[in-house]
Amino acid sequence: MKLLSGKLLLLEPNLLSQLQPALKVLHQLLTQQIKPTDRYGFDDASIRALLPPFPTGLDIEAIQQTVEPDLTFLEDLDSIDITQDKQLKKSSAARYAAKKVVKDSARTAGREFLDLPNYWLPDFLEAWKGDGSFQSGWGVLSIYRRNPKHTELAQISEL
């Protein structure tokens, strides 16, 4: 959450100021400073009671663009092209080296991908706005959003 708020502070400080009260409540929920009244944690209504009202005029699209992760490192995976040279094409050492370079590059990209911060804020904002629900227990916040896939499939099959 610190990396996310730091990025928002640098790029969109006015949007961060609108989100600060809600982020403070989320921090208290996730660090379990606020204790639930029952053993099942917090349901949607109790989380919404803790959150301030949704700010009017909050630009979710701008926040989404600001916190969107940069995935360009996935486009430039290393490889060795051995198809142009007939001698290299026949060499088992060259084929092995080409496979090894691709494998190492994919492994590095995978590690970088796992190191990306979670992209949860736009879903949280949409749910907070009213297009979803929350649940929290044991320091974990779950955000539920409607997936229109099944509704669209049912409508298509009716035609």
Side-chain angles (χ1 to χ4, degrees):
M1 189 148 56
K2 291 178 184 179
L3 180 64
L4 179 71
S5 53
K7 192 172 184 181
L8 277 173
L9 180 62
L10 287 173
L11 300 174
E12 296 288 343
N14 59 340
L15 294 176
L16 181 63
S17 66
Q18 291 178 311
L19 294 177
Q20 268 183 324
L23 292 177
K24 184 178 179 183
V25 170
L26 284 180
H27 176 73
Q28 292 172 344
L29 274 174
L30 297 176
T31 58
Q32 298 181 8
Q33 293 174 4
I34 302 173
K35 301 290 183 191
T37 56
D38 65 3
R39 67 180 183 179
Y40 299 110
F42 295 94
D43 62 355
D44 185 60
S46 58
I47 292 174
R48 288 185 187 279
L50 294 171
L51 289 171
F54 188 79
T56 56
L58 184 67
D59 190 1
I60 296 175
E61 184 69 31
I63 293 172
Q64 185 174 8
Q65 290 174 359
T66 303
V67 299
E68 190 169 31
D70 181 18
L71 300 177
T72 55
F73 65 90
L74 293 174
E75 296 172 356
D76 300 326
L77 295 179
D78 295 331
S79 64
I80 298 174
D81 186 17
I82 60 171
T83 59
Q84 302 298 327
D85 190 346
K86 291 182 181 181
Q87 287 180 337
L88 283 179
K89 200 174 191 180
K90 293 179 183 178
S91 169
S92 61
R95 287 195 310 269
Y96 174 78
K99 286 180 186 178
K100 181 82 170 138
V101 166
V102 169
K103 190 176 187 179
D104 289 346
S105 180
R107 186 175 288 128
T108 302
R111 270 190 245 115
E112 289 179 26
F113 182 77
L114 292 175
D115 289 341
L116 286 172
N118 287 336
Y119 186 61
W120 59 271
L121 187 60
D123 286 330
F124 169 77
L125 295 175
E126 291 291 341
W128 184 25
K129 186 178 175 182
D131 188 23
S133 63
F134 304 109
Q135 182 181 4
S136 180
W138 304 103
V140 176
L141 176 70
S142 299
I143 303 169
Y144 301 98
R145 301 257 340 268
R146 188 176 79 82
N147 186 348
K149 175 181 152 184
H150 301 292
T151 308
E152 291 170 359
L153 285 173
Q155 290 173 348
I156 289 172
S157 66
E158 290 176 358
L159 298 175

